[in-house]
Amino acid sequence: QCAVFEAEKISVTGGERLTEAEILAQARIDTGMNILGLNLSMARKRLLAHPWIAAAEIRREIPDGLAIRIREHHPLAVIDLGRKFLIDESGAIFKERDAQDPPNIPWVHGLRFSDLQPAAAKRGKTLRPSSQKISSEEIPAKGSIYDAVIRALSLGLRGDRSISKPAIHKILVDRELGLTLVTAQRRTAIKLGFDDFPLKYKMLQDIFEFLEQGRFPGLSDVATIDLKNLNRVVLNPMAAGNKADG
């Protein structure tokens, strides 16, 4: 109970979306509380209960300090399953979407709940409440439809000049034909299929650079680019009546 152990120096790092005050309130930590009386495990669990916090660490710095470090989820996309959820870069659901969430992230349409949790679905389990973390068994297996979606989105995060995270408006999933990516600026529908995404993104970059040269005015606005078969790429010009819509 000695006053020398009262928290006077509290450092909080890792917050990007969350403020220091919000992080301290979530952990229920206040200046002046006794650092030896603080249950570090419970405070950490309270932090992890916040939907935006992916990882957390708290340590005492004797005699009067606490160091709190968190890592936030970085949203990769919104998936529309009837209910809308945010997924992070690992493909795990971390919260249900609400009006305060970032607006300029891609949307994914055409998935089913069973695509996200194939192992759990076989045992008749349902999706966990949005306040709970997704378990490792609910992360999709490599080679699944959902894995293809994550790979297509993740490649876009690497700074490719033609496709980037902000440049992707939405991804449409067709179980027969594969993925169709719709760009944000051009609203061009790019039919990708299910595989060879790095090569297709490189080819897409070459196509966009070719179009920007303006050699063929009739192809300045393209409605669709079919890259499912890399030996036969098909471009369809946008109809004149649709150009004003982007």
Side-chain angles (χ1 to χ4, degrees), residues 8 17 19 30 33 84 94 99 125 128 136 219 223 239:
E8 298 295 338
R17 181 178 179 85
T19 66
D30 297 304
M33 70 187 310
K84 283 77 173 175
F94 66 93
K125 292 186 177 181
R128 295 175 182 271
S136 58
L219 282 178

Side-chain angles (χ1 to χ4, degrees), residues 112-127 137-138:
R112 303 170 183 168
F113 276 100
S114 58
D115 294 323
L116 278 66
Q117 47 186 41
K122 290 178 182 178
R123 295 193 298 273
K125 292 186 177 181
T126 58
L127 187 73
E137 69 181 7
E138 293 169 316

